[in-house]
Amino acid sequence: QVQVVESGGGLVQAGGSLRLSCAASGRTFSTTNMGWFRQTPGKERNVVAAISWHDAIRYYADSVKGRFTISRDNAKNTVYLQMNSLKPEDTAVYYCAPVLMIGNTSPSRISYGDWGQGTQVTVSS
């Protein structure tokens, strides 16, 4: 079981950058694919980016390709999401969670339990 705590969100103007962190616990973290999701009020929680446990495969939603970079540091049990060139449409609560990564399909969350509290990202225009 991997438990996570998201942090790093905040208020930034369009074109700015933020770096989100996902601090994880659990002995299986280093062999677990991890993903970032985001959700706005009234919308589904959709995957933004994901990274395989061996750091060889990365996935990005079309809306963030070229702007966001996902990375991980297994020694620190942490996953990061570097967000550059932020747009108002990136405003959301961001969550991280273990994911399935199968072929070229969009990664899906592995449902171990409730979502974490997430971290709020607000981009002003």
Side-chain angles (χ1 to χ4, degrees):
Q1 189 74 250
V2 176
Q3 304 294 320
V4 299
V5 177
E6 302 93 341
S7 63
L11 175 64
V12 64
Q13 65 181 352
S17 299
L18 285 173
R19 188 193 192 198
L20 306 184
S21 296
C22 172
S25 62
R27 64 180 183 177
T28 62
F29 171 79
S30 61
T31 56
T32 300
N33 306 327
M34 298 293 295
W36 283 97
F37 298 75
R38 66 185 182 188
Q39 184 177 34
T40 55
K43 303 293 185 180
E44 294 183 345
R45 196 170 304 187
N46 298 319
V47 65
V48 173
I51 186 169
S52 62
W53 68 269
H54 53 298
D55 199 11
I57 304 172
R58 289 176 171 83
Y59 165 88
Y60 298 100
D62 289 341
S63 60
V64 306
K65 285 182 178 178
R67 300 188 297 117
F68 290 11
T69 302
I70 189 171
S71 62
R72 67 190 298 160
D73 186 340
N74 288 344
K76 297 181 178 179
N77 281 13
T78 303
V79 179
Y80 305 97
L81 185 67
Q82 178 66 47
M83 306 185 295
N84 298 326
S85 301
L86 283 164
K87 305 174 181 179
E89 60 218 62
D90 296 318
T91 295
V93 179
Y94 285 71
Y95 305 84
C96 67
V99 296
L100 295 174
M101 300 181 72
I102 303 174
N104 295 321
T105 62
S106 178
S108 58
R109 180 192 179 227
I110 299 175
S111 298
Y112 289 130
D114 294 337
W115 292 89
Q117 65 180 29
T119 184
Q120 175 72 49
V121 172
T122 302
V123 184
S124 62
S125 60

